[in-house]
Amino acid sequence: MTDPCAWEDLRMSRRLKIFDTTLRDGEQTPGVNLNIQEKLEIAGQLVRMGVDVIEAGFAIASPGDFEAVKAVSENIKGAAIASLCRAVEKDIDRAWEAVCKAERPRIHTFIATSDIHLKYKLKMSEQEVLERAAAMVAYSKKYCEDVEFSAEDASRTRPDFLYKIIEEVIKAGATVVNIPDTVGYSTPAEFGALIRGIRNNVSNIDKVDISVHCHNDLGLAVANTLAAMENGAVQLECTVNGLGERAGNASMEEIIMGVNTRKDFYNITHKIDTTQIYRTSKLVSSLTGVAVQPNKAIVGVNAFAHESGIHQHGVLAEKTTYEIMTPESIGLAQNRMVLGKLSGRHAFEERLKEMGYCSLSTEEIQKAFEKFKSLADKKKVVLDRDIEALIEEKASKIPEVFELDSFQINSGNKVVSTAMVSLIKEGNKVSEAATGDGPVDAAFNAIERCAGISLELEDYGLKAVTEGKDALGEVTVRVSREGQIFVGKGVSTDVIEASVKAYINAINRAVSELGEEELKRPASGVSEVL
């Protein structure tokens, strides 16, 4: 048994390791489907932010997942790259094949340990699970020095068995032992005590990093994670915006700003650049199509808003009366007019750099500048959030098989809505007209006729990017084909144009993923586009 005195001074300064699983567990959010380029974009931003480990996917899950993990491993430098795998040899082989070219590869293998999982899912005894876990960690070790072991459903596992399996996988060569609250069942006091019990009852625990992975089913993921950290966990697994299976995972931005804001209490350091938090949150929201709730801690639009007159007066007199952190600390600049229609490209490029867009190519900057000039002709005041929306509209680097040429709408409360849409494909213009239940529906029907593709509209969302009658409107659409979801986004001061752009973007994503020929075939139970 470990001497408890060896762990007494946890208040001494320690450095956290942040393990981001947005690309793996975050992508398990219902309706989220990221392509390889989007995963590379997010991974690059995570490195700029300073995360220690990126879990790039579950390599054996599908050929697409394997290629994504492989691409991240080969192209992203500055963080360890991990692939999740079951405690099965073929899974481990595939994981290593995907991460072997990473600058710092990691194999992350897991097996369930709770009674309920052993009885109903694995149909294995504790001894069989113990032997499998140790054997598969040893098998992973022949490939990779850095091996993480996760005891799935650890928070509902009998402590004595959990201690035993942790001790055996450490003997087998594990470098990180992860303790997941897989179904978000635990509470902060209970989960902190579990980590403390592991430290005090596993004789070789000092040879590994203790990691935790908490789900948010009871809204306690961040609280449980911080409680584990207080009790000795040094690697915290989390996702941007708290994305993930069911109710999601512990939110990275909440963990980091919790630690930052309460340095006096936690006395813990990390290497996250907090000024990249807002930028990262916006990028992930844009690429996944999952909007951040307005009252979301740290990155919600209301996080630094003050409605009450008493609060407003206090903040104007002294910000710390009602703000425990500054908007600037997460990279959120105060909105202001930054450029006008007479501004040049150099000034625009400098402003992009100030906003954190440092990795854009010359071509991307030029396209963004052209869109900015077009917007400046329509809008009196151009704000930072307008520029963000223009950049994020093109964040998804997918081939534009179909491009908008023009559209015309005829609509009213006493006429049938009609749309005429012209698309450009391979330099050729295709024009079609269609009717619909309102101008947006008519436009979508006309787009489908032009493309010769029929998709099912699952969701449509519209929000104003900024305030005022001339505000940019941002439209997000979710479409499906045979159960697979594709997200499209479009922005414009004209909400119909934003809708048209979003639907074309969704079609281009579907074509990129499934291929045009596949999409032109009638979907199950759907007649051909006329």
Side-chain angles (χ1 to χ4, degrees):
M1 180 180 292
T2 301
D3 180 3
C5 295
W7 297 91
E8 276 182 359
D9 202 2
L10 286 174
R11 293 292 182 199
M12 290 180 65
S13 182
R14 295 175 289 148
R15 190 179 87 75
L16 284 180
K17 296 177 182 177
I18 296 299
F19 177 111
D20 183 273
T21 184
T22 303
L23 299 183
R24 200 275 300 169
D25 206 330
E27 199 190 18
Q28 291 175 214
T29 303
V32 172
N33 180 30
L34 298 168
N35 62 38
I36 290 176
Q37 287 302 318
E38 290 165 341
K39 288 190 175 186
L40 286 170
E41 180 80 8
I42 291 172
Q45 180 59 25
L46 291 172
V47 169
R48 283 188 287 276
M49 193 180 187
V51 303
D52 298 279
V53 185
I54 297 172
E55 188 167 55
F58 197 155
I60 204 167
S62 70
D65 230 34
F66 172 82
E67 291 300 332
V69 176
K70 187 169 180 285
V72 171
S73 299
E74 292 175 351
N75 291 282
I76 300 300
K77 309 300 178 187
I81 307 298
S83 174
L84 187 66
C85 53
R86 294 169 299 181
V88 177
E89 287 187 4
K90 65 177 182 179
D91 280 38
I92 294 167
D93 293 340
R94 193 66 166 159
W96 176 246
E97 188 181 351
V99 301
C100 64
K101 293 185 179 178
E103 186 177 60
R104 285 186 286 141
R106 175 181 291 187
I107 292 174
H108 181 191
T109 188
F110 74 95
I111 193 168
T113 53
S114 66
D115 288 345
I116 193 168
H117 276 254
L118 267 62
K119 180 178 180 180
Y120 294 106
K121 186 179 80 171
L122 297 179
K123 302 187 187 304
M124 295 170 68
S125 68
E126 286 187 350
Q127 186 60 32
E128 288 172 326
V129 168
L130 186 71
E131 291 173 1
R132 170 77 67 82
M136 291 303 99
V137 167
Y139 186 80
S140 301
K141 199 73 175 180
K142 76 174 187 178
Y143 286 130
C144 187
E145 179 58 33
D146 191 4
V147 177
E148 177 171 344
F149 171 77
S150 283
E152 186 185 11
D153 206 23
S155 59
R156 295 194 295 173
T157 298
R158 284 192 310 101
D160 286 349
F161 178 56
L162 188 60
Y163 303 154
K164 190 181 297 184
I165 198 168
I166 290 171
E167 190 158 314
E168 290 304 312
V169 297
I170 295 172
K171 288 178 183 176
T175 51
V176 179
V177 171
N178 183 43
I179 311 301
D181 183 23
T182 303
V183 292
Y185 180 74
S186 199
T187 64
E190 182 182 42
F191 200 60
L194 176 63
I195 302 304
R196 190 164 59 251
I198 290 168
R199 290 194 358 257
N200 291 338
N201 291 281
V202 177
S203 62
N204 51 1
I205 195 66
D206 59 323
K207 299 182 185 301
V208 297
D209 286 341
I210 300 176
S211 175
V212 291
H213 178 115
C214 297
H215 279 263
N216 205 39
D217 298 70
L218 295 176
L220 295 172
V222 171
N224 286 340
T225 300
L226 293 175
M229 180 188 73
E230 284 186 79
N231 284 278
V234 296
Q235 177 178 282
L236 308 184
E237 304 197 0
C238 47
T239 60
V240 176
N241 297 337
L243 293 178
E245 190 85 34
R246 303 182 314 279
N249 287 265
S251 164
M252 184 207 288
E253 57 275 8
E254 293 177 27
I255 291 169
I256 291 301
M257 293 311 292
V259 170
N260 257 37
T261 305
R262 295 307 311 273
K263 288 177 183 175
D264 60 319
F265 182 77
Y266 292 117
N267 192 29
I268 289 176
T269 63
H270 56 78
K271 70 183 190 77
I272 296 295
D273 177 359
T274 65
T275 64
Q276 292 290 327
I277 284 176
Y278 180 72
R279 164 91 175 88
T280 308
S281 171
K282 291 285 287 182
L283 176 68
V284 170
S285 177
S286 177
L287 293 181
T288 60
V290 179
V292 175
Q293 66 194 62
N295 62 331
K296 168 79 165 64
I298 316 301
V299 292
V301 294
N302 294 344
F304 296 97
H306 301 278
E307 183 74 18
S308 162
I310 295 173
H311 285 211
Q312 290 173 346
H313 175 75
V315 169
L316 288 172
E318 169 54 49
K319 285 187 175 183
T320 56
T321 53
Y322 289 102
E323 285 188 356
I324 60 173
M325 67 194 88
T326 67
E328 291 80 8
S329 68
I330 65 163
L332 177 59
Q334 296 300 307
N335 243 334
R336 60 190 184 279
M337 183 172 67
V338 293
L339 296 167
K341 64 181 180 180
L342 299 179
S343 299
R345 188 180 185 280
H346 178 72
F348 178 75
E349 188 171 349
E350 285 301 307
R351 185 63 199 133
L352 288 179
K353 290 178 182 177
E354 290 173 14
M355 293 170 65
Y357 295 101
C358 303
S359 61
L360 297 177
S361 67
T362 302
E363 182 183 359
E364 288 171 329
I365 291 171
Q366 182 58 34
K367 286 183 178 179
F369 179 64
E370 290 169 2
K371 286 181 171 292
F372 159 74
K373 296 292 278 187
S374 176
L375 176 62
D377 282 333
K378 301 175 184 176
K379 202 171 184 291
K380 293 179 181 178
V381 176
V382 179
L383 304 172
D384 284 356
R385 280 187 285 164
D386 294 316
I387 296 174
E388 286 172 357
L390 294 178
I391 298 296
E392 288 162 8
E393 186 184 22
K394 289 298 180 185
S396 177
K397 297 177 180 178
I398 56 171
E400 292 186 325
V401 177
F402 298 100
E403 295 183 66
L404 175 64
D405 177 64
S406 64
F407 71 94
Q408 184 174 330
I409 304 290
N410 181 34
S411 184
N413 65 335
K414 293 187 177 180
V415 297
V416 175
S417 295
T418 306
M420 170 68 78
V421 175
S422 294
L423 302 183
I424 302 295
K425 181 191 176 188
E426 297 174 349
N428 299 314
K429 183 189 292 188
V430 181
S431 300
E432 289 286 352
T435 60
D437 185 15
V440 172
D441 186 47
F444 288 178
N445 290 338
I447 291 167
E448 288 192 347
R449 284 174 177 263
C450 287
I453 292 169
S454 179
L455 298 170
E456 187 74 23
L457 180 64
E458 300 287 344
D459 189 38
Y460 172 94
L462 168 66
K463 68 175 183 178
V465 174
T466 52
E467 300 78 20
K469 292 180 180 179
D470 60 353
L472 272 178
E474 181 180 77
V475 170
T476 302
V477 298
R478 290 177 183 273
V479 299
S480 67
R481 176 67 177 236
E482 304 289 358
Q484 192 165 347
I485 299 290
F486 304 97
V487 178
K489 283 204 170 191
V491 295
S492 174
T493 52
D494 180 336
V495 296
I496 303 299
E497 182 179 17
S499 302
V500 167
K501 287 181 173 180
Y503 207 71
I504 294 170
N505 181 235
I507 285 179
N508 282 330
R509 285 179 62 99
V511 170
S512 177
E513 290 288 317
L514 300 179
E516 192 174 350
E517 290 305 312
E518 176 64 28
L519 288 168
K520 285 183 180 292
R521 295 194 188 99
S524 300
V526 177
S527 59
E528 291 191 53
V529 177
L530 299 177

